[in-house]
Amino acid sequence: NAGVMQNPRHLVRRRGQEARLRCSPMKGHSHVYWYRQLPEEGLKFMVYLQKENIIDESGMPKERFSAEFPKEGPSILRIQQVVRGDSAAYFCASSHPGTVAGNTIYFGEGSWLTVV
Amino acid sequence: QKEVEQDPGPLSVPEGAIVSLNCTYSNSAFQYFMWYRQYSRKGPELLMYTYSSGNKEDGRFTAQVDKSSKYISLFIRDSQPSDSATYLCAMSIPNFNKFYFGSGTKLNVKP
């Protein structure tokens, strides 16, 4: 499967714990986006990364949230000291700028975080 | 004003109907236009992708872009219950690598 891979698909955390969500982009794609979707709401942009570089993090909350995309391995969205309001679906998407189809993005199946 | 406006619905139609889904936008720099379909508890799936103005057809789906009116549409012919999902429009500016999404329209096709 050459699609965008996200894991875990479902994650339950107690308040105050850390959540780590992983994303492997589509084969050949070099750029990764993270979005958050609350129930019955639209997609909210969080962060845009390429390998070893955060390009745009204007949608990231100022505290507790961080993202990385290392040279090797998947992109990781990390949420520290989770609170109930962090319960949401987190979607990763990837693209390959500079190609004909580079101006569109492809999504993974999402990671559903539940904070209890 | 939001960059992209989309009626959230829900839109309920009988099986076999023609469905029209629409988005308006404010930024004339948008050149790439996309439609995604999202089933419940799933990721958005790219349906159609068009550049600039005009129509694009793929099976029962037709995407239409009217840049003069800043208006895009997705038409679904012979709608099926399996088309019941949320449809999201999205658009981008060439080489800016940032995507602007509508809030999604929930469609229900009744058998």
Side-chain angles (χ1 to χ4, degrees):
Chain A
N1 185 346
V4 179
M5 303 299 293
Q6 289 189 247
N7 68 82
R9 290 293 315 280
H10 302 278
L11 182 63
V12 179
R13 284 288 178 265
R14 295 186 185 279
R15 281 177 292 170
Q17 290 186 318
E18 179 179 289
R20 282 192 183 220
L21 310 177
R22 289 175 291 278
C23 169
S24 295
M26 189 176 278
K27 187 176 180 181
H29 285 191
S30 55
H31 290 227
V32 162
Y33 301 76
W34 285 96
Y35 288 82
R36 177 163 62 177
Q37 189 175 45
L38 294 169
E40 305 302 318
E41 292 191 16
L43 292 165
K44 302 295 183 192
F45 168 77
M46 298 181 76
V47 63
Y48 167 39
L49 313 100
Q50 64 181 87
K51 289 221 181 255
E52 299 184 286
N53 186 28
I54 296 175
I55 300 174
D56 181 350
E57 56 181 347
S58 58
M60 287 279 270
K62 294 287 183 265
E63 297 177 347
R64 303 188 297 108
F65 285 72
S66 61
E68 62 175 4
F69 190 12
K71 189 177 179 182
E72 300 290 338
S75 174
I76 295 175
L77 180 67
R78 182 183 179 203
I79 311 171
Q80 294 178 288
Q81 298 174 334
V82 297
V83 300
R84 287 236 171 94
D86 297 333
S87 297
Y90 292 84
F91 290 101
C92 173
S94 72
S95 73
H96 188 75
T99 62
V100 171
N103 283 277
T104 188
I105 54 175
Y106 297 84
F107 284 87
E109 288 287 71
S111 291
W112 266 259
L113 171 65
T114 302
V115 179
V116 297
Chain B
Q1 184 188 9
K2 284 184 181 178
E3 297 266 12
V4 181
E5 298 277 1
Q6 185 175 10
D7 188 333
L11 180 62
S12 189
V13 301
E15 183 175 354
I18 296 174
V19 175
S20 173
L21 303 165
N22 311 294
C23 288
T24 58
Y25 62 94
S26 55
N27 191 338
S28 57
F30 289 139
Q31 294 281 350
Y32 291 91
F33 303 92
M34 291 141 274
W35 285 95
Y36 291 83
R37 177 175 62 196
Q38 186 177 22
Y39 291 114
S40 181
R41 305 287 292 182
K42 297 286 189 181
E45 171 196 7
L46 181 65
L47 270 181
M48 302 283 285
Y49 163 53
T50 55
Y51 172 70
S52 196
S53 282
N55 292 1
K56 185 174 183 179
E57 189 173 319
D58 184 0
R60 295 185 296 111
F61 298 90
T62 299
Q64 199 170 77
V65 175
D66 181 350
K67 291 191 72 185
S68 61
S69 302
K70 297 191 181 67
Y71 189 86
I72 69 170
S73 301
L74 178 70
F75 297 97
I76 307 174
R77 289 185 299 281
D78 188 25
S79 57
Q80 303 294 310
S82 59
D83 295 327
S84 297
T86 297
Y87 290 80
L88 298 143
C89 64
M91 40 202 83
S92 67
I93 301 168
N95 303 317
F96 268 67
N97 303 316
K98 191 164 182 178
F99 298 86
Y100 298 82
F101 282 84
S103 55
T105 299
K106 193 166 186 176
L107 172 66
N108 180 31
V109 180
K110 298 175 290 186

